[in-house]
Each structure stands twice: as C-alpha cells, then as structure tokens.
Amino acid sequence: MTADGPDGVPPLHLPRRTRTLLYGALLLLVAAVVAALALGPGTTLAPLLAVAPVLAGATTRRARVPLLVGAVALLTVGLLESANAQLPLSVRISVPVTVLASTLASAASVVLVAARERELFQVRTVAEAAQRALLRPPPERIGPLRVAVRYVAAAAEARIGGDLYAVVETRFGVRILLGDVQGHGLPAVETAADVLGVFREAARTEPDPGRLAERLDAALTARTDADRFATALLLDVPADRGPVRVVNCGHPPPLLRRAGRVSELEPPFAAPPLGLLGLTGGGYPARCFDPEPGDLLLLHTDGVSEARDAAGEFYPLAKRLPGLHGGSPADLLDAVLADVCGWVGNTGLADDAAVLALRWEP
C-alpha cells in the first residue's frame, strides 16, 4: 500500500456512478448560470453557485480546491449582480455570504475527511505489518513440495483476522498449521498470535504431531480468556516422501485431489478444537496417507466452505475443486477464491478465509 495523495493520504478513487452524479450536478450548475443571465432584471439563480465548492470538495482531498472554486463562484456572483441592478439589497448581501459560508464549510470538510483517511491509512499500514509478522509467507518450494497460501479478510479494511497459518521446516520434516480462532476482532488476532508463537517453538522440539496439538491446546487453556478456542489442522510432512500425518482439531477436513478425483481426509474419530480438549479428555489422533507425485492437498477454513450464495447455499468446494485448474498451487488458490467470490456475488464473504495448497512434485 502506498500513499500517493496529499500528506500521506491515498489518492481518491471515485466510483463510476459517483462521477456520473457529480458530472450531472455540474451540468445543472452551468445551466443555472446561463439561465440567470437569460432571466433578466429582478430575478437571479446566483444562490445555486453555493453548490460549486461542495461539488469540488467531493472530488478532492486538498482544501485549496474548494477554496479556489469558491473564489471563482464569488467572482461569478459579483458579475451576475453587477449585470442585474434591480436585485434587492438583501439578495445582494445574502448570496455572496451563502457562497462564502459554503466554501469555508466545504474546505473544512475536506480537511476533516483527509485527516480521518490519513489515520485510517496509518492503521491499515500497521495492520499489514502485523499480518506480515504473524502470517509469514511460506517458501514456494520445500523439497518435493510446492506450497502456496492465500488469506482474504471478510472486511477489506480489517486486513487481518482470526484465521492463521504457518509452515515450519524442522528436523522432523515440514510442519504445517492452518486454523481458525473463534470470534473476530483484536481478541481473535491476539489468540492467533499466541497459537502461532507456541506452534513455531513446539514444532521444532515435539516429534509427535498429536502431542504438538496437545501443547497448542494447553496454551489456549492457559489464557485468561479460556473460553476462546480454535479449530486447526496440523500436518507432519516427512522429507523422505514417507506417510503424511494429519491431525484434525475440529476443523473442516483437508481435500486430496488425486488423478482428477477429490476426497476428504476424515480423522479417525472426531476431536475437539484447541482449547476444549479438557472437556472431552483423550487426545488428538493422527490420520496417515501416502502421497503420490502429482497429489494436491488443499487446506481451508470455514470462510470458504461456509460461503453462501444468494439462495443461502453453501459453497460446494469438494464438488467444484476438480473443475478448477492452475499451473501452480498459487494459481489454483487464486482460481478457488475467484470461484468463491463468484458464488457469493455482491454479498461478499461473511467470514475471513484462508486456503493453503500442497503439491508433491515428481
């Protein structure tokens, strides 16, 4: 994100419909000036010129623009009144005062809006820095794996949310985490930061992925807001093409695409989300599968699988994935997200969405 506008404010981009409305208002204003000249003595439409600085203020983030337009409007009012000597004195006084007040108010509004946009821009810049620190992009290739990840916040201005991912190379192989913290806002981001911190440390020291999940569960339970939980998938991918172990902590199962067919990798039995293991006892079982060259594994959060169309139907990821193609995992993820956005239409995503793809190369 860059700030090319005045004083660190991003440049103003007006939607096409807004520009059309403003152009229409400008044409009406010009017509009013022409009509004022044609009406003859005793009548005037000069008060309509007070709209000019308002229109100018809607198209800029520089206060001098409505000030300059207001000055031109005042000059035009003076010319119109000098050509119409029969106007009452009250009109001669009230019209320029109205234009001047409108000019000053428009300039003040531009200053206020620019200050708020500058503040919002700074907040979003900090949010992007926080996202880069928390959600570090993985390398495109790790041994036989090609990796890609995409994250989309439901609200564009939010930038970050409760979805999380991490890819860590360790002496045990590649450890992968994708999860979704319950809730939204700053508390969810703080919880995600805690989970990621524990994962990056424990992934390098804990050989068993089930025990790794238990350590993440213990970290969430120890938080002061112990009622917060997170669904998660943990993958243990050995460097020697051995069996991949998948631990599912109450999360939507990953999808395996092999030879054009898609299947869900369901866990051996249901396990609770991280932070809720104490309510059920037991542990987190691991499911193994043997990858083959060309296999693609897709991990996703419920922001994808629970995206709804206008009729309220959930997005059928498993059914649509075979028909989505891309030259690389990154291209495939872009195709998935584009397809999801087409599914939901103008309603937009109701929740944050994270998707991660792995492909085993020959």
Side-chain angles (χ1 to χ4, degrees):
M1 174 184 289
T2 59
D4 300 325
D7 302 323
V9 178
L12 180 64
H13 297 288
L14 295 175
R16 181 178 180 180
R17 182 176 299 179
T18 302
R19 293 199 305 269
T20 301
L21 293 174
L22 290 174
Y23 292 151
L26 181 60
L27 289 176
L28 289 175
L29 191 60
V30 172
V33 173
V34 174
L37 294 174
L39 283 175
T43 59
T44 182
L45 296 179
L48 294 177
L49 289 172
V51 178
V54 176
L55 294 177
T59 63
T60 184
R61 290 297 175 261
R62 297 178 183 272
R64 65 172 176 264
V65 174
L67 290 175
L68 290 174
V69 172
V72 173
L74 281 172
L75 179 61
T76 305
V77 167
L79 294 175
L80 290 174
E81 290 185 351
S82 64
N84 195 346
Q86 298 183 14
L87 285 177
L89 180 61
S90 60
V91 173
R92 292 178 175 275
I93 296 175
S94 63
V95 171
V97 169
T98 301
V99 173
L100 179 59
S102 175
T103 300
L104 296 178
S106 299
S109 177
V110 168
V111 171
L112 179 60
V113 171
R116 290 182 175 177
E117 289 191 350
R118 187 182 305 109
E119 181 179 358
L120 177 60
F121 172 78
Q122 292 171 349
V123 170
R124 293 179 66 177
T125 302
V126 172
E128 287 182 342
Q131 183 184 41
R132 287 192 295 269
L134 290 177
L135 306 178
R136 303 167 190 168
E140 183 179 349
R141 185 148 190 167
I142 307 175
L145 286 176
R146 292 193 70 179
V147 185
V149 66
R150 293 289 186 271
Y151 175 86
V152 179
E157 66 274 9
R159 297 289 171 175
I160 57 177
D163 287 4
L164 56 96
Y165 60 82
V167 179
V168 180
E169 293 184 77
T170 72
R171 57 191 175 96
F172 309 113
V174 180
R175 294 291 182 68
I176 297 173
L177 169 69
L178 184 133
D180 184 1
V181 174
Q182 170 256 341
H184 299 87
L186 185 58
V189 175
E190 292 175 345
T191 304
D194 285 351
V195 172
L196 288 169
V198 174
F199 172 78
R200 288 177 177 134
E201 183 275 329
R204 294 181 169 85
T205 58
E206 178 57 62
D208 182 73
R211 286 287 303 158
L212 175 57
E214 292 177 11
R215 290 180 63 173
L216 297 178
D217 173 85
L220 272 180
T221 305
R223 287 176 55 89
T224 54
D225 53 346
D227 59 333
R228 194 170 296 277
F229 61 87
T231 64
L233 287 171
L234 285 83
L235 268 66
D236 191 11
V237 184
D240 57 358
R241 286 191 183 275
V244 175
R245 292 182 289 179
V246 181
V247 175
N248 190 324
C249 309
H251 197 82
L255 300 177
L256 175 64
R257 189 169 80 174
R258 174 179 291 175
R261 294 187 176 183
V262 174
S263 59
E264 292 186 345
L265 298 182
E266 296 283 356
F269 58 84
L274 300 174
L276 300 181
L277 185 61
L279 300 178
T280 61
Y284 290 106
R287 169 173 179 166
C288 297
F289 81 96
D290 294 310
E292 298 178 0
D295 280 357
L296 184 136
L297 193 65
L298 182 70
L299 287 66
H300 62 91
T301 60
D302 58 12
V304 174
S305 57
E306 295 184 2
R308 296 173 183 262
D309 63 6
E313 296 291 331
F314 288 124
Y315 176 72
L317 177 59
K319 291 183 179 180
R320 297 177 73 91
L321 184 58
L324 301 176
H325 302 286
S328 66
D331 294 335
L332 176 65
L333 294 187
D334 291 337
V336 168
L337 291 177
D339 196 49
V340 173
C341 291
W343 178 268
V344 300
N346 294 331
T347 59
L349 292 175
D351 196 4
D352 301 334
V355 283
L356 188 149
L358 309 172
R359 189 169 71 192
W360 280 263
E361 297 294 319

